[in-house]
Each structure stands twice: as C-alpha cells, then as structure tokens.
Amino acid sequence: MNFKKMLMTTILVASQVAALALPVSAEENVPVSNSANETTITEATYEQKSQADSGEEASSTDPVTDPDTEGAGTVEGEAGEPATEQATEPTTEGTSNEGAVISGAASSSGDELILLMNSKKMYHNGVEYLANYPMEVKDGVSYVSIRAIVERAGFQISYDSKTKETIIVRGSDELRFKLNTTSYKVNGVTSTMRGKSYSVQNNFMVPLTAITQALEIPYTWDQKGKRVIMNLSTKPVASFTIGNKEVISGETIVQYLPQSSSPTGQQIVSEEWQGRQETFMTPGNYVVTYRVQDASGQWSDPFSLTITVVKPHTPPIANFTTDKDTYKMGELITYIDDSSDEVGIQDRNWVNNQRAFFSPGPVSIKLTVVNVFGLTSTIEKTITITNETLYTRDEFNQLYTPVGEKYGFDGKAVPSWDKVNYSYTSNATTLIRSNSPETVYSEGVLYRETALGATRFMIHHANATGKNVKMYVIATNNNDVSARLTQSNLGFAGPNQYATGVGKASVERYYDSMLTGNQYKDIWIAPGESKIILNELSASNMKNGDVISLLADLHSDSTLQYDVIMIGADKDPMVSLPYLSLLPRDVHNRGTFMDATRTIEYSEEIGLTPVRLLLGDNSSDPFLAGQDTMSAAEPVLNAGNFGVVYNITLKRVAPNTLVTFNPRGGFYTGWILVNGVQVPLSATTGLNAPNETAVLFRTGNYEQSLNLVFTAAPGSNLSVNLLFQQMPAKK
C-alpha cells in the first residue's frame, strides 16, 4: 500500500510539472477553471511568463499599514455608483475576515460576489469559494488576484506573449494588464490605475477598481464586515420610449422605441411586452412593460413606462361682441373677446376690427382664434355705421390712438408750426462713435481712441467680409496704476440682417438698463493690461450680412485706450490686435465727440397752440463737432447726433395736450422714455416721414410736467419733431 501511495504521488507531481511547461500557444487558450479552490496553474503560468519576459522575480506583498483609500466603494465613487450608507474608508491594518459570517442571500440583481479583506474566502451568491490569494492592501490601494475575479465573474482570460499582456474579455470589453505598471488598456485606450500591478506567490495582483471601473461593476464597501460586495449581474437591460409628443385616444398610433443591450455583448434574441397597444381607445394612464432575453437565456428586469392618453382635442370657440350694434361715423367701437378653449387660445386674428369707421353702411368684422393644438374657429358679425359724424378721422386719432401706436396725418403742414425755442446745457460725456466703415469688408481696427471719465460708446456695423467674424472692444491700461472701469448702462442687439431692427432693440435695452441697473459692473484693469469689455458684443458670431448695434455708458478713473476691432470668429483678439490695420472710413460718421449728453429744461407753458420741438436738425439742435483720431484728427460732425442722449423736461404742458413723435428725415423706428415708461416708435411698424406720427402722451384736464429721454436709434433717420397740440373736445 505504501508503495502504491508513493507511486500515485510521483505521478501527480510529474503531471503538475508537465503542466507548468505548457507552450505559449497553450497558455493563451487555457480555459478558465470553474472554482477558485480547484488546483490551477493557469494564472501562475501567465505570471511566471510575464516575470520571465521582464526579467523580474515575484515579490511578496508589503505589510498593510495604511487604510485603503481606493477600493471598496469609498466616497470617491469610482465604481460608477454611489456608496451605500456604510461606505467609509476601510481600515485594514491588523484586520482579518477569517471566520466572518456572510449572508447567503444573493443580491436583487441575482449575481453577487463578496470579497473579504485579508482573506481567501469569497462568497458567490451565498456559496463559499477560496481564492488563490487573499485581497490585500498595498501602499493604500486594494489589490485582488485577477484569477479570483475572472473565475467567479465568468470572464475570459488569455495571455499575449508578444505584448506581454494579460487579457480579460467580457463581451465586447477588453482589458489588458502588464506586470509592474500603473497603466492598463481598456478597449485599446490606455488608462491609469491607482497603484502598480505586481505578482505575489504566482498571483497577478491589480487594483480592484481597475477592473470594476473599466467594466462598470457596481460595488459597495461594508465597513463593519470588512468586505467588498460586487454586483456581477450580466442580465441584459431593456428600456423604451415613445416617439409621440402626445397620445390621443382613438387617434394616435403609438411609436414604441425599444432599447436593449447586454453587458457581456450577448445578442438579444427575444422580447416580451405587456400592456402594449398600438392605439389606446380610452383616455387614462396605461402601464406598458417591456423585457428582453439574450442568447444565454437570461431575461432582463422588466422596464415599465406609464403612458398618459388624453381625450381628442376640440377646437376653440370663437366669439366676440361689440358694445353696440349701430355707430356714428368716427365713434369709438369697443370689442369684447369672449372666445374660449379647454386648454388655451394661442393666437387671435382679427379682420376689420377698426376702432372707428368713417363711411356709412354695414360693416363685417371677423375673428379667428387658434388653440395650442392648431385647431381654429371663426366668427363673423356685422355692425351698422350711420351717416352721422361724431368725429373726423383726425379728431378721432388724436383722441383714441393708443400710446405707442401711430396714425397718418398731413405732415406737410408741420413745418409751419411754431418751434419751441429751447436752450440746452451739455454734460461732460465723451462719445466714441464707431459707425464707419458701417459696412466692413476686411478685418481690422474700426476705431481707436483714448478717454478718461464718462464715456459713451455707439457702435453700429455690418459684416461684409464674406466669413464669420466677431467684434470686440479692448481696453488697455497704459498707466502705472490699476484702473477702475465702471459700466452703468448697456444696450446691445444683433447679430441679424435687419439694421433698423437691431438699432431699435439696442435703444430699448439701453433704456431698460437705465431703469433697472441690470448692466452695472466694475472692471479692474492692471497696469499694462488689456482686457475685453462690453462682452455682449463678442458673444456671438456675425455671419456675412449680419448687423450689430450697441450703446453703452462707462466711467474710468484713468485714461484708457479703446480699440474697436472686427476679426475672424476663430481668431484670438489679444493675439491679433498688434497686427491689425486701421480701416479707412466710408461715407458714414465715426469720431470722438465731447459733451454728448444734452439737458433741455423748458419752463413756459406748451401745447395751447400747435408747436414742435426739433431734435437732430443742426439748427435748434446743432450737431456735435469732433475729430476722427484714426484719420489724423480730421474734424468731423456727428450728423444726426447719433449717440447723444437728450434729457428733456417740460415743466408746464397744457391741459388736454396731445404729444406725438413725427420723423422728418426718413423712416424711423425706435423707443423713447416718457415719464420713466418706455414707449415704442411705433408698436407695429416704424414711422414713415413725414405723414405718420406716434402717440407719446396725453395730458388730462390739468397742467402736467413731462420728462422725455431720447437717443436716436442707429439705422433710423434724423431729424425728428416732438409735436404738441390741443385735442378736440370729447363728445
């Protein structure tokens, strides 16, 4: 019997020695063993081969002296999921999990692997296994044997003798590790591990998170039990959405958009729906559930989505009434919109709903309403206009045209009205007007100037370079001390292709900043520093043909140099600035103008007779004289006084006075502040000179004061008149 025992032992040892001598081709195709406590040499073979290739010997692990700051679900969250409430940095020194009690219950995902710190024991779905080498901490990093993870997770493992890499494959994912390195490859991309791989007792050890992070394996750290709990579920994942914005009962064909995948790259071979209907016939909430099966036979967890089915939409109900059925010519008509809809009316389109009619006979008025679903309803009613006149057209417009809207009149008579002989005072504001070349054909400096104290920018340009560009204003402090630049008001509009539109919008936003202070900011510029200011100007690309417009008020406590530039949208303004050429002017105005804020105070009664107050005419309101510093300080006139801000106070406006805005130089569209309220010029379309005027204000039955703040909108035409006249008596 003893001889027989000795013979069997000899045969077993010989077989193991033979196994260690597998050729490389065999090493690369050794199947993964089914249990971690089986006798296996496969991993040792990989590691011995790696050591032989690198010329290094396997070293023993260092003693555990530091807590593991990488492994097992710390708050760093490297596993791709947040740690549980137990998640803290594990303390491992002098701690062993031998003999620890482990729950045999599997995770809710159905595949749970528990690794014990400083122990060979592992629990896979409650069944105990033994690893070749325990999980351990080295230099503050948790390490595991590749073999222990691979065998339990069902991954494929091989060795590439050419690259000297140990390869782990799960589905379409591939991880490649080299011995004694801190990097590894994930699907061909090199990543960094928290620690260096090493070999101990023929076990290839790598940081735990190198595997869990790359393969997105969720895990948690159980501080009390000193264990890592990994979720190895390889079940496929199913979900779906619907492609319909709204599902209407009996009408909508539901577009189901399923999505499914397998973490191991398995093919999805089957799917199952519950509650799915192509068309839901009754309104309500419906739960639809979807799951899929992969080629290995595993089913995904069911995914459920609640679909809200609404009843069919009904069109709105259009309806309106008038305060009477019969009106005189020139009599105000009041329209009462009684339209309704279950969700809400989005649009109302009137036809012929004039405030008054000036010809006798029946008149048809139509209203069409549209709800948010695009459904419409129309109603038409007829009223009667008698041959009796209450007001003429001019009288009616003077009495009833709303503030901000316009009406037509005989503007040819206006020059015969008396002028308001006002005087003005000027405030020390330096106006930098960059408006030439208005249409820019090449990159360069549009204007360059130095200024101190109160400074206003008026910038208005169109891009004709044939490419996308950006505009910048760069402030440079050439002083020996820091400069404080305060921005108070700013209005910017564009870029788009409508010059008058951006001019109007920039003025509106400029007034809004005056009223709200929403553009206030302080900017500090160090000695010798250049800084981009007025950032709204450069926030967007200007396409070819686009126009921008800007008005801004600044104040500096030191002299600063300002450069207004246009360059390619892909270029750095600071790098480009020293190399930009100074662009020549065109027929439009640019220059530096002093005293660009004008204050008008008029104390006499105004409005008892028709009078006009002219602005931007170079007579009552002389143009500012300045110089173009980029053209050898050539003298220039600010034609139209664009960029000048007028603060007009009329202390005595007579009772029953109508105040309107009438352009004289051409088309005009913009805004004006009237007693602190922004009034459009006009609310619908702009004003055509000279036969259109926009209502600004009406006094009541008593004398009132009136304050107007006005600056000309870039893109519009000057001069303009403020008209004052008595309104007809109401009947």
Side-chain angles (χ1 to χ4, degrees), residues 315-322 335-341 345 347-350 365-370 376-381:
I317 299 172
N319 190 33
F320 74 91
T321 59
T322 54
Y335 298 92
I336 304 165
D337 186 351
D338 291 324
S339 303
S340 61
D341 183 72
I345 294 174
D347 199 10
R348 292 171 167 83
N349 300 307
W350 290 90
I365 300 116
K366 185 185 295 185
L367 171 63
T368 300
V369 294
V370 186
T376 65
S377 174
T378 300
I379 187 171
E380 187 173 359
K381 291 188 177 182

Side-chain angles (χ1 to χ4, degrees), residues 432 447-452 455 457 459 471-479 483-487 523-535 537-538 554-565 573-574 577:
I432 296 175
Y447 200 64
R448 173 175 290 161
E449 184 56 282
T450 58
L452 168 67
T455 305
F457 279 89
I459 300 173
M471 287 197 62
Y472 300 87
V473 176
I474 299 174
T476 301
N477 180 10
N478 293 317
N479 304 290
R484 179 184 181 184
L485 182 63
T486 301
Q487 174 183 298
I523 304 163
W524 291 91
I525 306 176
E529 182 185 14
S530 293
K531 185 170 288 188
I532 296 171
I533 62 171
L534 307 177
N535 301 88
L537 189 67
S538 53
L554 306 169
H555 185 280
S556 64
D557 62 2
S558 300
T559 300
L560 297 174
Q561 175 181 307
Y562 298 103
D563 286 277
V564 183
I565 67 172
M574 297 302 185
L577 180 58

Side-chain angles (χ1 to χ4, degrees), residues 341-358:
D341 183 72
E342 61 179 354
V343 177
I345 294 174
Q346 182 170 287
D347 199 10
R348 292 171 167 83
N349 300 307
W350 290 90
V351 176
N352 210 27
N353 64 327
Q354 298 181 36
R355 298 184 184 92
F357 293 92
F358 300 93

Side-chain angles (χ1 to χ4, degrees), residues 295-520:
S296 71
Q298 290 193 93
W299 282 95
S300 69
D301 292 329
F303 176 86
S304 296
L305 187 68
T306 299
I307 299 175
T308 299
V309 180
V310 300
K311 66 179 182 179
H313 301 305
T314 57
I317 299 172
N319 190 33
F320 74 91
T321 59
T322 54
D323 55 334
K324 298 196 302 183
D325 294 326
T326 302
Y327 297 87
K328 299 175 184 178
M329 289 185 291
E331 184 176 359
L332 180 66
I333 301 171
T334 301
Y335 298 92
I336 304 165
D337 186 351
D338 291 324
S339 303
S340 61
D341 183 72
E342 61 179 354
V343 177
I345 294 174
Q346 182 170 287
D347 199 10
R348 292 171 167 83
N349 300 307
W350 290 90
V351 176
N352 210 27
N353 64 327
Q354 298 181 36
R355 298 184 184 92
F357 293 92
F358 300 93
S359 299
V363 176
S364 177
I365 300 116
K366 185 185 295 185
L367 171 63
T368 300
V369 294
V370 186
N371 68 11
V372 295
F373 307 111
L375 302 175
T376 65
S377 174
T378 300
I379 187 171
E380 187 173 359
K381 291 188 177 182
T382 300
I383 60 174
T384 300
I385 308 301
T386 70
N387 57 8
E388 185 179 358
T389 298
L390 183 64
Y391 297 109
T392 66
R393 189 182 297 272
D394 281 345
E395 290 172 335
F396 180 87
N397 285 331
Q398 291 172 27
L399 286 169
Y400 294 112
T401 299
V403 169
E405 294 193 16
K406 67 179 183 178
Y407 65 87
F409 76 122
D410 183 9
K412 299 185 186 68
V414 169
S416 66
W417 293 16
D418 290 336
K419 295 180 182 179
V420 177
N421 294 316
Y422 63 86
S423 60
Y424 62 84
T425 58
S426 298
N427 295 359
T429 302
T430 300
L431 171 63
I432 296 175
R433 179 177 176 181
S434 180
N435 192 194
S436 183
E438 183 173 275
T439 301
V440 185
Y441 294 92
S442 62
E443 299 179 34
V445 178
L446 301 172
Y447 200 64
R448 173 175 290 161
E449 184 56 282
T450 58
L452 168 67
T455 305
R456 179 176 302 126
F457 279 89
M458 189 223 122
I459 300 173
H460 186 77
H461 292 284
N463 173 24
T465 63
K467 62 183 179 183
N468 288 351
V469 297
K470 281 189 175 183
M471 287 197 62
Y472 300 87
V473 176
I474 299 174
T476 301
N477 180 10
N478 293 317
N479 304 290
D480 295 330
V481 295
S482 293
R484 179 184 181 184
L485 182 63
T486 301
Q487 174 183 298
S488 53
N489 307 316
L490 183 142
F492 172 77
N496 68 50
Q497 298 189 348
Y498 301 99
T500 55
V502 298
K504 178 180 181 179
S506 67
V507 171
E508 178 188 11
R509 294 164 188 169
Y510 177 73
Y511 291 151
D512 184 62
S513 70
M514 280 186 178
L515 297 173
T516 65
N518 62 1
Q519 293 294 335
Y520 182 90

Side-chain angles (χ1 to χ4, degrees), residues 194-243:
R194 291 284 299 276
K196 181 185 291 188
S197 61
Y198 62 93
S199 178
V200 56
Q201 297 180 15
N202 290 333
N203 289 279
F204 192 177
M205 307 293 287
V206 296
L208 172 65
T209 53
I211 297 175
T212 58
Q213 184 173 316
L215 299 180
E216 297 182 354
I217 299 174
Y219 69 93
T220 56
W221 164 249
D222 177 5
Q223 174 68 28
K224 184 177 180 180
K226 307 299 180 189
R227 59 182 188 164
V228 174
I229 305 170
M230 302 172 61
N231 182 355
L232 299 178
S233 175
T234 58
K235 291 192 297 184
V237 178
S239 67
F240 72 94
T241 59
I242 61 171

